[in-house]
Amino acid sequence: MTADTTAGAAAGATVAREHDLARCTLGLGDDALVLAQRLCAWITRAPSIEEDLALSNIALDLLGHARVLLTMSGRLDGTGRSEDDLAYLRDGREFRNTLLTELPNGDFAVTVARQLLYTHYARLHYAELAGCAVPELAAFAGRAATEVGYHRAHADGWTVRLGLGTAESRRRMQDGLDRMWPYAAELFEADEAVARLAAAGLVPAPDEVRERWQREVTEVVDRAGLRVPEPSWSAGGGRDGRHSEEFGLLLAELQSVHRQYPGGVW
């Protein structure tokens, strides 16, 4: 093998790795963006002013995560698309977020259940990703893990509070868990890109994260005096662009101003 051939193979491997990383960061960024949009809908509608502030601050953190991840994805995939291009100029089939993040808010307990499942996953995933050999991604993941740790504490606290509260709050919290649990499995799906990156040690192995997630979430549910759901089915397809009917409405609202005033700047 000549030096030119070796160099060409190495360059090709680098491009392939970057495309895999672009797909992974796009999925994580879409999760954060879509969930931020959902949480913003609680502003002025949460049970208290304190929760208005808490949920809006969590949404702002997630929006910050989305900006970093989408920018990174646009650079790694070679298209040079900006965070705004990816947030506002894709149609629904191009989004790679999990179905869990796009589900309607439901009542407060349903939102808490979604936060419980997502934040424990995100905290574990980012903590592992902080050891990634890609410096920019590792630095981001370290900061994100710290921020999501606060989101996790918020979700844990409300799960226990509702579970140990009144008969009605307990019923609603259990209903929220039952409703959201079948959508959690998609967080740990490994497509070919994830499998290659995990084998190279660049992203966490989904099965390992899932085992730790299961232990952590079960402990919180037990503390709340609730039952860990055992669903007979699991949802999927979001990572491949197959979304719910409700997602179209969310996306229309998210993109409405940018599409109404294309090219506008603040």
Side-chain angles (χ1 to χ4, degrees):
M1 182 178 291
T2 66
D4 287 345
T5 302
T6 301
T14 298
V15 170
R17 187 192 73 172
E18 289 183 346
H19 277 86
D20 285 345
L21 284 169
R23 180 176 174 84
C24 289
T25 52
L26 184 64
L28 291 172
D30 285 347
D31 280 345
L33 178 65
V34 170
L35 186 53
Q37 183 73 9
R38 279 295 186 217
L39 292 178
C40 282
W42 276 108
I43 298 174
T44 75
R45 294 175 174 82
S48 66
I49 293 176
E50 289 81 0
E51 281 309 302
D52 272 355
L53 294 172
L55 292 174
S56 61
N57 281 325
I58 291 171
L60 283 172
D61 284 345
L62 292 172
L63 186 59
H65 299 171
R67 294 186 65 182
V68 174
L69 289 163
L70 295 182
T71 298
M72 199 179 304
S73 180
R75 188 180 69 254
L76 288 168
D77 70 8
T79 65
R81 290 176 293 179
S82 70
E83 61 189 85
D84 284 352
D85 293 334
L86 289 168
Y88 300 128
L89 299 179
R90 285 181 294 160
D91 63 28
R93 288 302 300 265
E94 294 177 283
F95 275 75
R96 297 291 177 259
N97 59 283
T98 56
L99 298 180
L100 176 70
T101 59
E102 72 187 47
L103 292 175
N105 285 330
D107 65 19
F108 185 66
V110 171
T111 291
V112 169
R114 178 174 56 201
Q115 286 298 104
L116 178 73
L117 304 184
Y118 174 79
T119 58
H120 276 266
Y121 155 76
R123 174 66 177 80
L124 290 168
H125 186 88
Y126 286 136
E128 290 292 321
L129 196 58
C132 174
V134 180
E136 182 182 7
L137 187 54
F140 159 76
R143 296 192 301 272
T146 299
E147 292 175 348
V148 176
Y150 295 119
H151 307 170
R152 181 186 63 180
H154 177 266
D156 288 358
W158 269 110
T159 300
V160 173
R161 183 175 177 181
L162 293 173
L164 299 180
T166 66
E168 180 66 10
S169 72
R170 176 185 175 85
R171 181 190 68 80
R172 287 178 180 248
M173 191 64 237
Q174 186 65 61
D175 286 348
L177 290 172
D178 291 342
R179 178 176 175 182
M180 291 294 172
W181 205 278
Y183 293 89
E186 189 179 13
L187 294 168
F188 308 100
E189 287 183 356
D191 60 14
E192 292 182 357
V194 171
R196 286 190 293 265
L197 292 172
L202 292 175
V203 301
D207 287 343
E208 295 177 8
V209 174
R210 182 169 191 169
E211 290 177 6
R212 295 170 61 191
W213 175 89
Q214 185 76 36
R215 290 195 299 270
E216 286 189 4
V217 175
T218 297
E219 188 275 330
V220 177
V221 173
D222 288 345
R223 265 198 293 133
L226 299 167
R227 169 182 49 80
V228 174
E230 297 181 359
S232 60
W233 63 281
S234 61
R239 291 286 192 233
D240 294 320
R242 300 192 303 274
H243 297 284
S244 61
E245 182 179 353
E246 294 87 355
F247 181 66
L249 299 175
L250 179 149
L251 194 61
E253 182 178 45
L254 171 67
Q255 297 179 336
S256 60
V257 174
H258 194 278
R259 290 187 179 274
Q260 186 174 2
Y261 302 102
V265 295
W266 297 101

